Structure formats: C-alpha cells, structure tokens
Amino acid sequence: MRGDLVRKLLARVLTTGLAVLSFLVVALTGATGWGLALAVAALAATAWERRVRPTADGLAESVLIAAGILVGYARRLDAGFDPALAATALVLLGLVLLVGPLRDAGALEIRAANLPVRSWTPLVAARLGDALLALLAVVALAAGLALPAWVALVAALLVAAGCGAVGLDLARRRFRPPAGGGPVGRALRRHQPEFVLYFSAPPGSEYQVTMWLPYLERIGRPFMVLLREPEFLPAVAAATRAPVVFCPTLRTMDEALVPSLRAAFYVNHGAKNSHCIRFSQLTHVQLHHGDSDKAPSANPVSAIFDKIFVAGPAAIERYARAGVEIPAEKFVVVGRPQVEAIEVRREPATARAHPTVLYTPTWTGHHADADYCSLPVAETVIRRLLDRGATVILRAHPYTAQNPASARQLARLTELLAADRAKTGRAHLWGAAAGRDLTLTECVNRADALVSDVSGVISDWLYSGKPYAVTDMGVDGEHFVERFPLAGSGYVLRRDMSNVDEVLTELLDTDPKAADRWATRIRYLGDFPAESYAEVFLDAARQQLAADWTVPAPRDGSPVPSPAG
C-alpha cells in the first residue's frame, strides 16, 4: 500500500513538474524544440498518472501543456496571426475544460458484458482523456514539424466531434430516459435472472468472485453478476457466461436489479453491500471467499444477511467465540465446494526423501490485528526446507505486492528458490507459475505438506488429509491454538523460528497428529460424501430460490417498477 502511495506521489510530481517546465521553456526561452519535447514528456507522465491514479484531476497541467504547445507552434510558423491556429486554440481550450466532466458523467452510466447490448457512450467517455492526450501529442508533433495550422485544427475538430456526440447522448440519457428503461435493463428483464452475485472490493480481489462462478452456474438457474467497481468487468465477464453488469450508482442498481430476482449472494463484507441489502424482497446470502480462523471470518456485519453459508460447524463456533450473537437458524452448513477436486490422501506420507512442500504466506491485512503474514521470517523456513531436499511451491497472496516490505521479502525468497533450482535441478515453483498457471487445488494436489499462515488455505488443504504447519506471527504464545483452533491439528511454528527443525521433523517425518486432522476436517468442512460433496451447497442455494415464487413475464417496451419500489 505504501508502494502505491509512492507511485502516486511520483506520478503527480512528474506530471506537474514537466508541465510547468515545458511551458516556462517555451514561453521564456528560445528553445522551442526543447519545450515541445518536454511537453510530450509531460503528456507521457500524465498518461502514466492516469494509470496509477484513475481519478487524477490534471486540468491545470493540461492547460499548461496545451498553452506551451500552442506558443511553440506559433513560434515555429512565425507568420503572425494565424486564424487556423487561433481556432485550434479555442477548440483545445474547450476540450480541456469538457473532457473531465464528460468522462465523469460517462463513469456514472451502467455498463454490461455478456448481454446482447452495445452501450458505446460510457466506453468512449472513459477514453476521452486518452484522446485529448493523443490530440495534444499530434499538435506538438505538427508544431515540431512546422506543419500548416489547419492540420492541427482538423485533428482537434475530429476529437471535438466525438466529444459532442458523447455529450449529446449522455444528456439524452439523463434528461430523456427511454420508456421501459435503458437497453441493459431491458436485456436483463428478457434474461430473467433468478439470483444475483453482488460484488464490491479493492483492486486485485476478483478471485473472490471467480472461485464461486462455476458453482453458481451449476445451480442451473439464470443469474447475473453485479459489480460496483469497473476494473473487475473484463476479468469477471471472461470467467462466466452469465450477464455481468457494472453499476456505479444507486440509480443504475435500480435498473439492474430486475423484478425476476429472488436472492442475492455475497462473497465478502464490503461496505457497499448495504446498497444491495436495502432491496428487502430479496433473500440475502453470505458465502464468504474462504474459511479461516482470521478475525474477519467472524465479522459482526454477517448478522445483516438472511442466511450465512458456512463450510462446517467450526465456523458457527467461531462467531460465538468472538462474542458475535447470530440466530442459529441463519447458518447453513454447506461444506466448501471448491475442495471437491482436491485429492484425499489417507495413508501416512512420512519420511519422503524429497517431499514437495506448499508455502502460502498471507498478506499483512488492513489492520495490525489482522496481520498474520510470515514473510518477514520466511527465509529461515525456506532454507531449512531446501536443506532437507524439499521441492517448494511458493504461492503468495494476491495482495502481497501492495506492501513494499512484503514485496522485497517475497523477491528474496524467489531468489533463493531460483538459485537452488539452478544448483540441484529441483522444480521449485513461484510467481505466475504457482499463482496463475496453477490453481490452488492443483498446488495442493502436487504437495505432500503445507506451511501456511492463518488463512483460508489451511481449511482447503485440510480436505486432503495431509499434514500442515501454521505460523504464529502474533503474541499469543501458548494461547495461539485457543484463538486459532485449526492450528490444533497442525504444527505451530513460533515467530522466532526457534522450533523450526522440530516442526519440520513432525511435518515431514513423524506426523503424530495424523488422526487428529480427520476429526478437525469434519468440524471445519462438514461430514459429506466425497462423491456428492458440492451438491450440498447447490441444494442449499436452490432452496433459497423459493419453488412457489412466480417469475413475472417480461414486459418489453413498457415501464417495469424497480425492485426498490
């Protein structure tokens, strides 16, 4: 997270500094060529800033850059007053002032994928800032080559025409909405979704949705996915055939949540979940995106949902242990369907000559009391595993790079694994090879043992029956297992790594807790037949779609009351 802040500050300094410098060089010196080159560099910095700060307001910088380019253009032509250049200046001024508001207005429009509708206006509006930067670059190039001013004017008018079309369509949508709702709402009413998967989260969290999509599709009922952040739209749409809708405002949610919906599923406790909870005619079901003993897994906010799907009885006990009072009838034990493809190993796997160990460090969390990350001390564990001849699969949490210190620690571990692979030929995996090319299930099936922080990975691993070690990164000491009961059937690594050799011997050689894990497995993952394990979730989900509920017939072309009404 500090790394993001540094990048944003650097982008701001570069953009502002280069914009000011380019204008001063053109306006106060005779180095017109250098000034135009600096203006192009300022445009590149502006483009980069918009990647790291999508909401950046670069109005002042754009005005300075445009002014510098136009002054340099006039000097290059050296022909006195040029009407075409003056007209270009007016068009550029208008574009600089209008592009931001048009882009912001377009960002408030509903967008969709996997629906037979094409809503070009929001997409074009989102690219207007890039179009303006490209136009300024073209004008700078024309100035540098001393081309006639009408060349720049034509380019400016083309971009202005696009802005005008976007502005007119946005105004029409806002002040004269079509009868029967917009095209997205009409398409959703034709689709007749019976439930919605609602999602809002920070960047990089799409895995929380994609882990559930295959099982929601297996329910066998039409559904939709509703997103509250635009960056998730491409990835989520590529992972399902169901309609995926981005709703930036409550008004667009009113359009998207059509009357055929019966239930809403959630995969986290995002603050914006309350925007959907207000639709009281829906049954609201919390699925979670993993099962662990972390503090967020017993979030009191869970009480706002009508049903809370949990993997096993241990999850219900976790809420009670945290003092969160939730009526028992709200809980539904459904197992953890994502583990159905994990291979179960019942026979002991002790004293292997060259074991494969999966190491899954978690991230530092939003708050200090949720920081279970073992990366600061992980080098000791990795070195001991390599000394024992182990092959290591290093699968880091997707949020790891948000913390610069964690990113550096992870890089050090990959250096160790790369050096050992070059020396011994052991097929260690890390980075994309372990986190993107392989699923978590595939990593679990390849490994003989797990070393993990307190996280949902342990619950998934537990299904395999294989041994695991848990890092104690807090100050709980002998009370660690009381706070995190899942560690009771694993082997606990102390923060100072003083017992690392003892733990690795138990983990890889003797495994004295093999019998304990099977009882823990039932408490955490339910006692369901392996051949129909995922069916428990599917049946519970179908029960939320009441059989006696009548789906209203689509009424294309006529107004349909919003769910809120």
Side-chain angles (χ1 to χ4, degrees), residues 15-29 31-32 34-43 61 64-69 71-72:
T15 300
T16 303
L18 287 172
V20 172
L21 185 60
S22 65
F23 178 77
L24 292 177
V25 169
V26 171
L28 302 180
T29 75
T32 303
W34 283 106
L36 292 173
L38 287 169
V40 173
L43 292 173
E61 289 78 9
L64 278 174
I65 294 169
I69 291 172
V71 171

Side-chain angles (χ1 to χ4, degrees), residues 142-382:
L145 298 176
L147 297 178
W150 62 263
V151 174
L153 179 60
V154 169
L157 289 174
L158 288 174
V159 176
C163 286
V166 168
L168 288 174
D169 193 54
L170 289 173
R172 179 186 61 80
R173 289 166 177 259
R174 191 62 51 86
F175 300 113
R176 295 185 60 187
V184 173
R186 292 196 298 270
L188 287 173
R189 283 194 293 275
R190 289 192 295 270
H191 180 67
Q192 295 284 286
E194 296 184 25
F195 64 92
V196 57
L197 175 61
Y198 180 93
F199 182 62
S200 173
S205 306
E206 57 270 13
Y207 70 94
Q208 298 177 5
V209 171
T210 55
M211 71 169 59
W212 280 108
L213 288 174
Y215 299 95
L216 297 181
E217 291 178 347
R218 283 168 58 179
I219 292 173
R221 307 285 182 85
F223 74 100
M224 60 177 284
V225 182
L226 194 155
L227 308 174
R228 300 306 309 281
E229 289 79 27
E231 58 266 25
F232 297 121
L233 187 57
V236 174
T240 182
R241 297 185 301 272
V244 182
V245 181
F246 162 59
C247 292
T249 65
L250 298 181
R251 178 184 62 82
T252 53
M253 283 185 62
D254 289 342
E255 178 180 351
L257 294 178
V258 293
S260 60
L261 290 168
R262 311 178 192 183
F265 293 94
Y266 306 78
V267 296
N268 61 27
H269 291 96
K272 290 183 181 179
N273 287 353
S274 61
H275 296 176
C276 192
I277 291 287
R278 68 190 176 95
F279 292 87
S280 58
Q281 77 280 11
L282 301 177
T283 299
H284 300 277
V285 182
Q286 176 60 255
L287 302 178
H288 300 100
H289 56 273
D291 180 86
S292 76
D293 287 329
K294 285 184 175 182
S297 294
N299 194 323
V301 174
S302 296
I304 68 175
F305 299 98
D306 299 308
K307 295 292 181 181
I308 306 166
F309 282 14
V310 293
I316 303 175
E317 298 167 7
R318 187 182 302 129
Y319 281 96
R321 192 167 58 248
V324 179
E325 297 184 5
I326 296 178
E329 60 269 18
K330 284 197 173 189
F331 291 103
V332 183
V333 176
V334 299
R336 171 90 171 133
Q338 288 83 0
V339 306
E340 65 173 346
I342 290 178
E343 298 168 0
V344 179
R345 183 186 292 174
R346 293 187 177 274
E347 71 281 2
T350 56
R352 290 177 179 258
H354 297 289
T356 297
V357 178
L358 173 62
Y359 173 46
T360 58
T362 191
W363 68 304
T364 53
H366 288 298
H367 308 287
D369 62 351
D371 183 0
Y372 309 105
C373 180
S374 65
L375 283 172
V377 298
E379 185 172 339
T380 299
V381 179
I382 296 298

Side-chain angles (χ1 to χ4, degrees), residues 500-518:
V500 62
D501 292 318
E502 173 191 338
V503 165
L504 291 184
T505 296
E506 293 175 325
L507 180 70
L508 301 176
D509 295 339
T510 59
D511 192 17
K513 294 186 176 181
D516 296 341
R517 284 195 299 276
W518 294 104

